[in-house]
């Protein structure tokens, strides 16, 4: 089929997902960039900062579980708009964290619960609202990519919109410190947080269900649904019948318990639990690492962080492309992604060299951690796409939500353990040992995760989607 005659409107949808993910990460990065100065202003310890970061991750994890169900229930268009409205509001409310904190402390103190400082309580409250909204981004985006892209292009589409995380992480150090320096830290939260409301306008203008999308040609719709053609492969027919059905008022639903009975679900859960915490660690602790080790101010971090997160774009898009090379050789979608992920899992081992080579200057750890972060993005876009390889569209967001819960819990553990290690070794005058321990975990997590996933889903099991009897469970 001639690609030029098909049309390319699906890539406009990918652009919308890319910009939403950019805003998502831009909003969550504001605090980490301001953390060194806010820690001094409010007297936060590493454990205090870890509590704030872990609160975001914990609420995000719980919200992800329900976000997937909400996306599957409300549909992609309405659910995504609701999610970005909530998280943009939460981002702006960070500017009023001290007022929140004072109110919470007054409310909780008579109950013996207001032991944390007002600033910590206030930021926890604002981060929690941000987390509830941001939890909707990836379930909605993955479902949108499953709706608008055939399987052969899906991991590339996910890699492209997932690279928005990297752009957000690049834009944050370029924009947040100058805004904070000129107008104060409150203005940084307000200005950055308000961007999401602008995105909603374009979302309602340009997104709709593919079957109702007037801008989508019939040829492109047929191309998107080409994978849904009948197949004799065991267990696929019912799932494809479900996917090929026209839009209806009440889509089929699959319960959490039914999904949790599947080894495929647990493989996705294991991959998220073991590796999401690595990315959280890079996002939340890198600015403090550069401050602790090299006494860098926020404005000094602009170039190294911009370079580091620019590197991750290569991983995100390259990781999305890599499985296609194996598919061209005749391997199935799931097996192609597993082959690519095994190779990707070796790159983070270079993070082990960050501390030893860091004695020669900050560029060595920045570049090595950049390779590790790039590998994470390559891994992540394939891991997210696996959910749409193994499950029909109507339950993809639910599976992503379950995996997101596991990834969030893993992130909470990594963040809390990191804070405790840094306070412990910092008190001993050897905080760099704490960072070495955390970097070792970041380096090894992917190989361990891949091995667990391979055990849970061998090649024969990954060849088919969800069993027929669970499609309408």
């Amino acid at each position: 089929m001639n690609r030029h005659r098909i049309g390319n409107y699906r890539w406009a949808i990918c652009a919308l997902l890319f910009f939403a993910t950019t805003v998502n990460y831009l909003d969550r990065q504001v605090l980490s960039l301001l953390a060194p100065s806010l820690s001094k202003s409010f007297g936060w310890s590493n454990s205090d900062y870890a509590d704030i970061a872990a609160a975001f991750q914990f609420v995000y994890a719980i919200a992800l579980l329900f976000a997937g169900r909400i996306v599957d229930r409300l549909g992609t268009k309405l659910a995504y708009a609701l999610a970005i409205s909530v998280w943009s509001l939460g981002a702006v409310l960070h500017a009023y964290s001290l007022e929140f904190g004072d109110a919470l402390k007054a409310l909780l103190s008579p109950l013996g619960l207001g032991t944390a400082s007002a600033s910590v309580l206030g930021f926890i409250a604002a981060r929690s609202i941000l987390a509830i909204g941001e939890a909707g981004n990836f379930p909605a985006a993955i479902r949108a990519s499953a709706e608008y892209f055939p399987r052969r292009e899906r991991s590339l589409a996910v890699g492209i919109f997932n690279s928005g995380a990297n752009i957000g992480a690049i834009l944050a150090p370029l924009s947040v410190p100058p805004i904070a320096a000129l107008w104060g830290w409150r203005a940084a939260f307000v200005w950055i947080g308000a961007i999401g409301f602008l995105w909603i306008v374009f979302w309602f203008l340009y997104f709709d269900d593919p079957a109702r999308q007037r801008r989508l040609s019939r040829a492109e719709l047929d191309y998107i649904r080409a994978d849904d053609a009948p197949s004799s492969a065991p267990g696929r027919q019912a799932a494809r019948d479900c996917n090929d059905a026209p839009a209806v008022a009440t889509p089929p639903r699959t319960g959490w318990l039914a999904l949790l009975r599947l080894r495929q679900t647990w493989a996705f859960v294991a991959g998220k639990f073991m590796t999401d915490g690595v990315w959280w660690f890079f996002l939340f602790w890198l600015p403090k690492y550069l401050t602790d080790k090299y006494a860098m101010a926020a404005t000094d971090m602009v170039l190294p962080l911009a370079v580091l997160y620019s590197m991750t774009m290569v991983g995100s898009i390259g990781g999305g492309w890599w499985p296609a090379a194996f598919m061209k050789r005749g391997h199935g979608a799931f097996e192609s992604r597993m082959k690519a992920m095994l190779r990707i899992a070796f790159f983070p081992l270079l993070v082990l060299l960050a501390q030893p080579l860091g004695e020669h200057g900050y560029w060595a750890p920045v570049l090595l951690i950049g390779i590790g972060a790039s590998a994470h993005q390559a891994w992540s876009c394939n891991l997210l796409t696996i959910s749409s390889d193994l499950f029909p569209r109507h339950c993809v967001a639910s599976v992503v939500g379950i995996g997101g819960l596991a990834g969030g819990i893993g992130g909470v553990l990594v963040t809390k353990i990191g804070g405790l290690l840094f306070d412990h070794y910092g008190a001993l005058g050897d905080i760099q040992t704490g960072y070495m321990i955390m970097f070792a975990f970041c380096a090894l997590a992917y190989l361990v995760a891949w091995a667990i996933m391979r055990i849970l889903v061998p090649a024969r099991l990954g060849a088919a989607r969800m069993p027929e009897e669970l499609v309408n469970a």
Side-chain angles (χ1 to χ4, degrees), residues 202-243:
F202 292 94
W203 179 248
F204 276 112
L205 284 174
Y206 293 105
F207 184 88
D208 207 343
D209 182 273
R212 296 192 295 266
Q213 178 57 263
R214 289 178 294 179
R215 297 179 177 87
L216 193 68
S217 69
R218 180 66 198 182
E220 188 169 7
L221 180 61
D222 290 341
Y223 176 72
I224 290 168
R225 292 184 169 178
D227 293 332
D228 298 336
S231 169
S232 60
R236 289 190 185 178
Q237 184 64 49
R240 286 180 170 169
D241 288 346
C242 169
N243 287 340

Side-chain angles (χ1 to χ4, degrees), residues 355 421-436:
Q355 278 291 83
L421 282 173
F422 301 148
D423 276 343
H424 172 73
Y425 284 103
L428 298 175
D430 187 24
I431 195 172
Q432 301 310 320
T433 297
Y435 282 109
M436 186 66 206

Side-chain angles (χ1 to χ4, degrees), residues 311-347:
M311 294 172 66
T312 62
M313 290 185 61
V314 177
S316 188
I317 297 174
W321 166 84
W322 206 341
F326 295 107
M327 291 183 196
K328 289 179 180 178
R329 300 175 193 170
H331 298 288
F334 173 78
E335 199 59 26
S336 295
R337 283 187 237 290
M338 287 297 288
K339 287 178 179 294
M341 289 167 71
L342 177 58
R343 289 155 177 78
I344 290 165
F346 284 97
F347 284 93

Side-chain angles (χ1 to χ4, degrees), residues 461-473:
L461 197 58
R465 286 191 183 182
M466 190 169 71
E468 179 178 347
E469 63 270 16
L470 292 179
V471 170
N472 294 311

Side-chain angles (χ1 to χ4, degrees), residues 60-263:
Y60 183 82
I62 299 299
L64 263 175
L65 183 64
F66 295 97
R69 302 297 285 179
I70 292 170
V71 171
D72 284 336
R73 183 72 59 90
L74 296 182
T76 309
K77 185 172 185 175
L78 180 58
Y80 216 155
L82 178 63
I84 200 165
S85 297
V86 173
W87 96 54
S88 297
L89 177 63
V92 171
L93 289 177
H94 280 68
Y96 306 95
S97 292
L98 296 183
E99 290 80 358
F100 279 151
D102 288 332
L104 285 171
K105 197 164 182 66
L107 181 66
L108 296 175
S109 292
L111 303 176
L113 300 175
T115 55
S117 68
S119 62
V120 170
L121 288 174
F123 274 94
I124 285 176
R127 297 301 280 178
S128 297
I129 297 171
L130 178 69
I132 290 170
E134 290 207 342
N137 184 71
F138 282 99
I142 294 297
R143 176 169 167 138
S145 67
E147 291 171 345
Y148 268 88
F149 288 88
R151 292 175 75 187
R152 70 179 67 91
E153 291 181 348
R154 207 169 291 163
S155 65
L156 178 59
V158 172
I160 291 172
F161 84 67
N162 193 43
S163 68
N166 313 322
I167 296 297
I170 293 168
L171 292 177
L174 294 175
S175 58
V176 173
I179 293 173
L182 289 172
W183 295 290
W185 64 270
R186 293 176 187 267
F189 285 110
V190 173
W191 285 36
I192 300 299
I195 297 173
F197 294 112
L198 179 63
W199 178 90
I200 295 173
V201 175
F202 292 94
W203 179 248
F204 276 112
L205 284 174
Y206 293 105
F207 184 88
D208 207 343
D209 182 273
R212 296 192 295 266
Q213 178 57 263
R214 289 178 294 179
R215 297 179 177 87
L216 193 68
S217 69
R218 180 66 198 182
E220 188 169 7
L221 180 61
D222 290 341
Y223 176 72
I224 290 168
R225 292 184 169 178
D227 293 332
D228 298 336
S231 169
S232 60
R236 289 190 185 178
Q237 184 64 49
R240 286 180 170 169
D241 288 346
C242 169
N243 287 340
D244 200 42
V248 293
T250 305
R253 296 173 187 162
T254 303
W256 281 327
L257 292 179
L259 293 171
L260 291 173
R261 287 198 294 266
L262 296 172
R263 293 164 67 96

